[in-house]
Amino acid sequence: MKVRKLLDFGTTRSASRFKALGSRTWQRGAKRTTTITVRATPQGSLPAIPPEVLDESDGPVYPTVLQQVRNNMHKFSHCVVLTRVGNFYEMYFEHAEIYGPLLNLKVATRNVRNAPGPVYMAGFPFFQLDRFLKILVQDLGKYVAISEEFANDPMDKIKSGGLLFDRRVARIVTPGTLIDEKFMDPWENNYLLSIHADPKHGDLEAQLSSPSETGNSTLKTSVQEIGLAWLDLSSGDFFTQRTDVVSLPSVIARIGPREVIIDQDFQRVESSRIISTLKDGQHVITYHKPINSSGKITDWAPMLEDTAAALDSSKFTEVEVAAGNFLLQYVNTQLQGNKAQLQAPVQRHDEEYMMIDKNSLRALEVKSTLRDGNFEGSLLHAVRRTATKSGARLLSQRLSSPSMSLEEINQRLDVVSEMLENPVLRQDIVALLRRTFDSLRLVQKFSFGRGDADDLLGLARTIQITTQIAEMLEEHISFNGELSESEASTNSETGLAGPARGRECLRELLHRLQLEGPIAVAEKIVEAIDEDKLDEQHRIEDNEAAEMVQLAEEVLEDAGEEVKLKGVPKNIKKAAANGNGRDGPTDDVWIMRKTASKTLNTLHDRLDMLFQEKEQLESRLKEKSGAKSLTLKWTPGLSYICHIKGKDTTASLEALGSTRGVGASRSTRSFHLTEWTQLGSRIDEAKLRIRAEEQRVFSSLREIVVRNLVKLRKNAAVLDEVDVACSFATLAQEQNLTRPILNYGTTNHIIGGRHPMVEVGLTEQGRKFTSNDCIVGDDERILLITGPNMAGKSTYLRQNALISILAQTGSFVPADYAEIGLVDKIFSRVGSADNLYNDQSTFMVEMLETAEILKQATPRSFVIMDEVGRGTTPEDGVAVGFACLYHLYNVNGCRALFATHFHALADMTVGFEKLACYCTDVVEDGDGGFSYVHRLRKGVNRMSHALKVARLAGMPAQAIAVAGQVLEQLKSLPTPPNQEAKKIAASGG
């Protein structure tokens, strides 16, 4: 890109950009001078323009480009409009005035004849688009309409008064419709969720009768059915589910959408539990008007991959179909008609996954820490050893929705076992996986008509590595195919010998790979694209961008602003710093090999012949003129010229025939020569034909990628599963984890259990974690845990919930032995927080969470509750705590760990035969020192030792002494009898 090109946009381009950058006089040699002035930005808002002014039929008020922008702003009034103008993206009018300062951009003004006021302008170089999209979409929560340049055909040029480009919105970018933006989180899915519900129906809540021992329950009132559909445009994943108002918060927490769309009629509903749920979760909510459709699943076909077009409509409920139609209508609107090719929709059911409600996801720190919301310190951070970004996304999905299928869990564990027992195989596979690219997202880019040569090469390498991994696994299975005598014992469930199960699972994974078509794709890509020339092209592009950066920064500097452009890629900054900008044109770089097509080979041969003609012509001209320095050149401004220098400038050129001088100095001379001009035109034509043929070859490569879309997606899914299995095996080896045994019972039998995150933290400090057993279920359904503050009760509760999650995810667990009955729902009531914005105190939040647990837990659920009732008076707290225990024991009938400082609860529940009391303790050394005993023992500890914690916290000694005196006085008071409570307990038992 030349400076001349930057300054030659025409009035609407150069003025808007450089007025926005500052005031300066720019000179290039002595031939070109462009002077630009900037007025001080006036204060106040831009006057509103009446809608009738925007009617193009009444004639434009603004010059054509500005009128195009104004029309787009009117049509997409809910968006910030970014308009491509040459090598910049521009904002105009009130958008520049409002968002320019927020983006730290210089805002300039331009007076336009007959306009109602000055036109505000602000912009940035095109290569900074991702940076500013991130600020607008992710940080400011705005929707952005991107208006691109579309070349006008001859008739359109006449209609527009000679305008080269029409500027139309090509796409609307929202938080849930990101495709390949660089600021996307590569480790997490970017889901867009649609909710279909009837705003007039009301939010009826399920009223459950008392569950029996078998867990059966009946609904006394109907609950509104809700249809959900969600997708990730960056990977093509597409899901549907039917749910209800009660389960909705947990389902949304599991999905983790970046944007939620819902019928705009909900804006007029005064009180909606659905909207409250979304606002409580701080989700981006988009109110959208549904478009009338047939209401049939066939409406999905245009947005799905070819093999998914013929769907079984009987599988999907009416509300799911409605949610899917609503979702795809919205996506189609945002993409402005560009068709996506999504994967076949996967129908989800609540019973397929362990439900972890939103409070438990947060309290158990599954994806982020409770205090700071950081990734580091979460369960996902502690267990993630994946080699690929897509593998990390699969791991994240599995942790938030562990499986309820015993067969599926065991298959996952079998593969982990196989990888753990074969460390060399695992290390070789991980090394290969690290060299792969995110093929799911790459393939999706091509389905949108995007993707460049680098993406094609990345995809080809991934296909080649997939083939190597497949060969490696085949060899492993074949080599270990024969069973030894120790493997002869047959597993009753699978019919296979123990160690052979892992190899059989690997064989099933291999059978899912479809390599025949993709291998051919990879070969064609590698044969067509010249990687060395592609690297050379990137260097040229970086140098061109470096020129633009230098120019923009110089303009800002001359305007009195010492501002360095942020968000510029490092390689571009380096090129700018080193002064690597090009002063003149370089030879064209052809990224396609000559052998990519017969036509391309012929065209290159033709171009080579023309260059030979050039050399011959140059030699003849030197001989005729006697000017040995004569060269044939091309320049941006003068096109094809002859150039001589030095003593040759005095030579007579009459022998050359018809010439026309175009420039001369004391040491050089340039002129046009008809013969060279004609040859140059033929060279230009040959280059254009090569460029067109390269584009045709490139398009054909993208086509074959899209034709193999389904196979490539399936192969990517297999690689992700292998990656997660290797990750779990690596984790098991590092942290000495144990394979869990899962069954259909309702008992957890864990020996030597450990907390997966706390243990890592202690190990880094050189300390050892105290393991604990946890046997809870049929014989002892509830464990009532007492003990001192800081003695590990909360850690114990959390670690056992996390062990169940890990086991059903398909991971080995931190324990010496673990036998776990499948858990359908995990509930956690730990920690304390208020929600003052919604007028909810700490105790109110605690009660809301407790209420949800008592209403939803089943006999197969696992509940942990910590210090329920502590936010009120001791008497009220004991009453609430006892009521929770009573309900969990007699109504829910679930496994539960219940930690408390209300020691009276141990006496009040003596009649609960399947409730056991355990405690932690403190050991004092007699000299005022003490240490915690984190290991649980049977019994009740009626000493909380709160003053010891206060002393550790640095509370003044005088205050500690006063607290000790008060405590002694309180202990001397008579304890009120609990006879009534004991009667209730006895009747409940």
Side-chain angles (χ1 to χ4, degrees):
M1 180 185 308
K2 314 301 177 296
V3 174
R4 177 183 174 280
K5 183 178 179 182
L6 286 173
L7 295 174
D8 198 24
F9 291 155
T11 304
T12 57
R13 296 187 189 182
S14 58
S16 66
R17 178 78 295 264
F18 287 95
K19 282 182 180 178
L21 289 173
S23 173
R24 67 159 296 153
T25 298
W26 178 261
Q27 286 187 311
R28 185 172 183 255
K31 298 180 181 178
R32 187 179 185 86
T33 302
T34 302
T35 304
I36 301 169
T37 58
V38 178
R39 299 186 180 185
T41 305
Q43 302 299 311
S45 302
L46 185 71
I49 299 176
E52 59 269 15
V53 172
L54 299 172
D55 187 354
E56 293 181 279
S57 63
D58 292 340
V61 173
Y62 300 103
T64 309
V65 173
L66 290 180
Q67 188 62 46
Q68 289 176 335
V69 173
R70 204 49 169 152
N71 293 339
N72 286 334
M73 290 177 63
H74 178 60
K75 183 176 180 181
F76 302 95
S77 58
H78 62 297
C79 301
V80 179
V81 177
L82 296 180
T83 303
R84 182 72 181 255
V85 182
N87 291 289
F88 295 88
Y89 280 102
E90 306 280 353
M91 291 182 293
Y92 295 94
F93 305 104
E94 60 267 30
H95 286 176
E97 181 188 14
I98 296 169
Y99 299 109
L102 296 176
L103 299 176
N104 199 25
L105 295 173
K106 179 76 175 180
V107 180
T109 59
R110 172 185 172 191
N111 289 324
V112 178
R113 184 182 301 174
N114 298 326
V119 176
Y120 294 90
M121 300 175 293
F124 51 85
F126 72 93
F127 55 78
Q128 288 187 294
L129 177 62
D130 273 327
R131 175 192 170 221
F132 290 103
L133 275 181
K134 179 183 183 301
I135 298 172
L136 287 168
V137 176
Q138 285 196 339
D139 300 342
L140 299 178
K142 302 299 179 183
Y143 299 164
V144 179
I146 301 178
S147 175
E148 299 287 2
E149 293 179 330
F150 295 88
N152 279 326
D153 59 31
M155 287 302 297
D156 290 332
K157 287 181 185 178
I158 295 173
K159 291 179 182 178
S160 62
L163 198 67
L164 295 176
F165 299 102
D166 183 20
R167 290 172 176 84
R168 303 193 304 271
V169 171
R171 182 182 163 210
I172 301 172
V173 182
T174 70
T177 57
L178 304 181
I179 298 173
D180 59 351
E181 282 66 28
K182 292 181 177 62
F183 58 85
M184 287 179 64
D185 186 351
W187 312 101
E188 290 285 345
N189 283 101
N190 199 83
Y191 285 130
L192 170 69
L193 169 69
S194 75
I195 299 178
H196 170 76
D198 184 356
K200 301 175 183 176
H201 188 285
D203 295 328
L204 297 178
E205 188 171 330
Q207 302 294 325
L208 300 177
S209 63
S210 298
S212 65
E213 288 295 326
T214 60
N216 294 326
S217 60
T218 57
L219 292 176
K220 290 186 177 179
T221 64
S222 63
V223 180
Q224 179 181 186
E225 276 193 343
I226 295 175
L228 303 178
W230 65 100
L231 57 78
D232 183 346
L233 275 180
S234 69
S235 64
D237 294 317
F238 183 22
F239 304 93
T240 69
Q241 181 174 345
R242 178 184 62 180
T243 188
D244 55 49
V245 175
V246 178
S247 303
L248 184 63
S250 299
V251 176
I252 292 177
R254 186 194 76 214
I255 297 169
R258 301 301 171 93
E259 180 184 357
V260 181
I261 57 173
I262 194 165
D263 194 321
Q264 67 180 21
D265 287 344
F266 274 93
Q267 285 183 292
R268 296 191 291 271
V269 177
E270 292 184 4
S271 178
S272 168
R273 186 170 175 182
I274 295 175
I275 301 301
S276 298
T277 296
L278 296 175
K279 289 182 177 178
D280 288 346
Q282 298 182 335
H283 296 290
V284 176
I285 307 172
T286 299
Y287 296 96
H288 186 67
K289 183 176 180 57
I291 303 170
N292 292 330
S293 67
S294 66
K296 296 179 180 178
I297 205 168
T298 51
D299 293 344
W300 300 0
M303 299 282 280
L304 302 180
E305 59 191 19
D306 293 338
T307 58
L311 292 173
D312 183 2
S313 58
S314 62
K315 281 178 54 181
F316 298 89
T317 62
E318 186 177 337
V319 290
E320 286 176 288
V321 173
N325 284 337
F326 186 37
L327 176 68
L328 297 182
Q329 287 170 5
Y330 178 78
V331 169
N332 195 49
T333 300
Q334 307 311 93
L335 296 179
Q336 290 294 290
N338 293 320
K339 298 298 181 184
Q341 291 198 41
L342 304 171
Q343 299 183 47
V346 177
Q347 191 178 35
R348 291 287 179 89
H349 303 278
D350 283 337
E351 60 271 16
E352 295 175 348
Y353 304 96
M354 175 198 291
M355 190 196 80
I356 311 173
D357 72 308
K358 65 173 185 177
N359 298 320
S360 300
L361 275 174
R362 179 173 174 269
L364 295 175
E365 302 179 305
V366 174
K367 291 187 177 182
S368 59
T369 57
L370 184 61
R371 179 180 295 274
D372 305 314
N374 295 331
F375 169 68
E376 187 173 353
S378 67
L379 176 64
L380 180 56
H381 174 261
V383 304
R384 192 172 77 185
R385 302 290 185 276
T386 48
T388 66
K389 297 177 178 66
S390 53
R393 295 197 296 270
L394 177 61
L395 174 60
S396 178
Q397 292 171 25
R398 288 186 176 180
L399 282 177
S400 58
S401 52
S403 177
M404 281 293 292
S405 167
L406 197 58
E407 181 182 2
E408 182 179 42
I409 295 168
N410 282 325
Q411 286 176 350
R412 294 177 184 176
L413 292 171
D414 288 337
V415 179
V416 175
S417 296
E418 189 71 14
M419 293 300 178
L420 181 61
E421 292 165 7
N422 296 275
V424 175
L425 172 68
R426 182 178 78 247
Q427 290 163 11
D428 289 344
I429 288 176
V430 169
L432 288 172
L433 286 171
R434 292 189 191 283
R435 293 166 49 198
T436 63
F437 292 77
D438 195 341
S439 54
L440 264 182
R441 286 189 169 175
L442 281 182
V443 168
Q444 188 66 2
K445 286 173 70 172
F446 289 114
S447 77
F448 279 106
R450 299 171 175 234
D452 53 25
D454 292 286
D455 295 325
L456 284 172
L457 285 175
L459 188 61
R461 289 197 193 98
T462 302
I463 294 169
Q464 292 169 341
I465 291 171
T466 303
T467 305
Q468 293 177 48
I469 291 174
E471 292 170 352
M472 196 177 292
L473 292 176
E474 284 278 12
E475 184 179 347
H476 170 74
I477 293 169
S478 300
F479 183 77
N480 296 280
E482 295 297 325
L483 301 182
S484 64
E485 291 182 7
S486 62
E487 297 174 323
S489 58
T490 302
N491 181 283
S492 59
E493 186 170 328
T494 63
L496 295 171
R501 292 198 304 272
R503 295 196 290 275
E504 184 60 29
C505 291
L506 287 179
R507 184 176 282 109
E508 290 177 8
L509 285 174
L510 282 174
H511 287 164
R512 286 166 50 196
L513 286 175
Q514 300 183 29
L515 295 172
E516 186 176 349
I519 288 175
V521 171
E523 289 174 351
K524 288 183 179 179
I525 291 171
V526 173
E527 289 171 359
I529 298 176
D530 188 329
E531 193 168 353
D532 292 335
K533 292 296 181 67
L534 185 60
D535 290 340
E536 185 179 345
Q537 186 187 60
H538 289 330
R539 286 193 295 272
I540 292 172
E541 290 170 350
D542 289 345
N543 289 337
E544 288 176 344
E547 288 180 1
M548 190 188 303
V549 171
Q550 285 180 318
L551 177 60
E553 289 183 347
E554 286 171 10
V555 172
L556 289 171
E557 206 173 301
D558 287 358
E561 298 185 24
E562 294 187 6
V563 177
K564 295 295 180 183
L565 294 180
K566 299 178 181 179
V568 180
K570 291 181 180 178
N571 54 346
I572 292 177
K573 285 185 175 180
K574 185 176 179 181
N578 294 338
N580 291 332
R582 293 179 295 119
D583 293 326
T586 64
D587 291 336
D588 290 272
V589 177
W590 311 112
I591 65 171
M592 294 292 173
R593 301 184 193 274
K594 294 180 180 180
T595 54
S597 75
K598 290 181 179 179
T599 303
L600 200 56
N601 199 31
T602 302
L603 290 172
H604 273 289
D605 289 343
R606 173 62 179 159
L607 183 62
D608 290 342
M609 290 174 59
L610 291 172
F611 280 129
Q612 287 177 9
E613 285 187 40
K614 174 196 170 185
E615 292 175 2
Q616 294 168 0
L617 175 62
E618 194 172 71
S619 298
R620 289 200 310 272
L621 294 175
K622 286 179 180 180
E623 188 176 342
K624 280 185 178 182
S625 65
K628 301 300 181 185
S629 66
L630 185 148
T631 56
L632 302 180
K633 298 177 64 176
W634 176 91
T635 65
L638 301 176
S639 190
Y640 290 96
I641 60 169
C642 298
H643 183 76
I644 58 177
K645 60 184 178 180
K647 288 188 269 186
D648 292 337
T649 57
T650 59
S652 174
L653 302 179
E654 293 177 1
L656 299 181
S658 175
T659 62
R660 181 169 59 87
V662 292
S665 68
R666 295 177 61 182
S667 60
T668 64
R669 189 173 176 184
S670 299
F671 55 90
H672 280 141
L673 183 68
T674 303
E675 196 173 356
W676 171 225
T677 301
Q678 291 173 346
L679 178 59
S681 297
R682 289 158 61 200
I683 291 174
D684 281 344
E685 182 185 0
K687 287 181 178 181
L688 285 172
R689 293 181 67 184
I690 290 175
R691 190 71 67 199
E693 177 62 13
E694 278 203 341
Q695 186 58 44
R696 189 198 66 77
V697 172
F698 180 73
S699 298
S700 70
L701 291 176
R702 290 206 295 196
E703 267 183 42
I704 64 172
V705 169
V706 174
R707 284 201 298 269
N708 286 270
L709 195 67
V710 177
K711 293 179 179 179
L712 291 168
R713 281 172 169 168
K714 288 181 178 178
N715 294 348
V718 172
L719 286 190
D720 291 345
E721 291 185 39
V722 172
D723 189 14
V724 172
C726 289
S727 171
F728 280 151
T730 302
L731 178 73
Q733 184 182 49
E734 288 177 1
Q735 300 186 6
N736 193 28
L737 305 186
T738 299
R739 174 169 178 160
I741 301 169
L742 290 107
N743 54 51
Y744 291 110
T746 55
T747 296
N748 286 13
H749 190 112
I750 298 170
I751 305 299
R754 310 185 300 276
H755 193 294
M757 293 98 88
V758 175
E759 183 182 28
V760 172
L762 291 177
T763 302
E764 290 175 353
Q765 300 171 27
R767 298 164 61 191
K768 188 176 180 180
F769 185 88
T770 302
S771 61
N772 267 299
D773 303 341
C774 178
I775 303 172
V776 60
D778 294 336
D779 296 329
E780 295 178 348
R781 284 208 313 267
I782 298 178
L783 305 188
L784 181 62
I785 303 167
T786 55
N789 297 101
M790 298 285 292
K793 297 190 303 298
S794 296
T795 299
Y796 177 78
L797 266 60
R798 287 182 171 96
Q799 78 184 35
N800 286 292
L802 291 172
I803 286 172
S804 288
I805 290 173
L806 283 175
Q808 291 183 221
T809 297
S811 170
F812 284 26
V813 298
D816 298 332
Y817 175 84
E819 185 174 352
I820 300 171
L822 287 177
V823 176
D824 66 347
K825 301 176 184 179
I826 277 188
F827 295 101
S828 173
R829 161 81 288 274
V830 297
S832 60
D834 56 35
N835 186 354
L836 299 181
Y837 180 79
N838 289 324
D839 196 25
Q840 295 172 353
S841 67
T842 302
F843 184 67
M844 182 59 177
V845 171
E846 179 183 320
M847 290 298 98
L848 286 170
E849 294 178 7
T850 301
E852 291 302 313
I853 294 172
L854 298 183
K855 286 187 287 187
Q856 295 188 52
T858 72
R860 190 168 285 284
S861 300
F862 186 34
V863 174
I864 62 172
M865 303 187 83
D866 192 13
E867 306 297 346
V868 172
R870 64 181 159 188
T872 184
T873 64
E875 294 81 5
D876 288 345
V878 169
V880 170
F882 175 77
C884 290
L885 284 169
Y886 181 93
H887 203 278
L888 290 171
Y889 189 89
N890 292 293
V891 180
N892 303 109
C894 58
R895 287 163 278 185
L897 306 180
F898 194 100
T900 185
H901 284 290
F902 296 138
H903 308 127
L905 292 177
D907 301 325
M908 298 167 67
T909 54
V910 291
F912 293 5
E913 294 178 0
K914 294 187 177 183
L915 181 147
C917 294
Y918 287 82
C919 65
T920 55
D921 215 336
V922 162
V923 174
E924 300 183 80
D925 58 15
D927 297 325
F930 67 95
S931 60
Y932 291 109
V933 178
H934 297 290
R935 194 174 300 280
L936 261 70
R937 62 174 175 83
K938 274 219 169 187
V940 180
N941 190 335
R942 300 181 186 274
M943 297 289 292
S944 292
H945 298 280
L947 298 188
K948 290 183 173 63
V949 177
R951 190 182 299 118
L952 286 174
M955 195 170 175
Q958 186 177 1
I960 295 288
V962 171
Q965 293 172 10
V966 173
L967 184 60
E968 289 301 319
Q969 292 175 7
L970 291 174
K971 285 181 180 179
S972 65
L973 296 176
T975 303
N978 290 314
Q979 297 303 320
E980 292 301 319
K982 287 183 179 180
K983 288 180 182 178
I984 297 172
S987 64

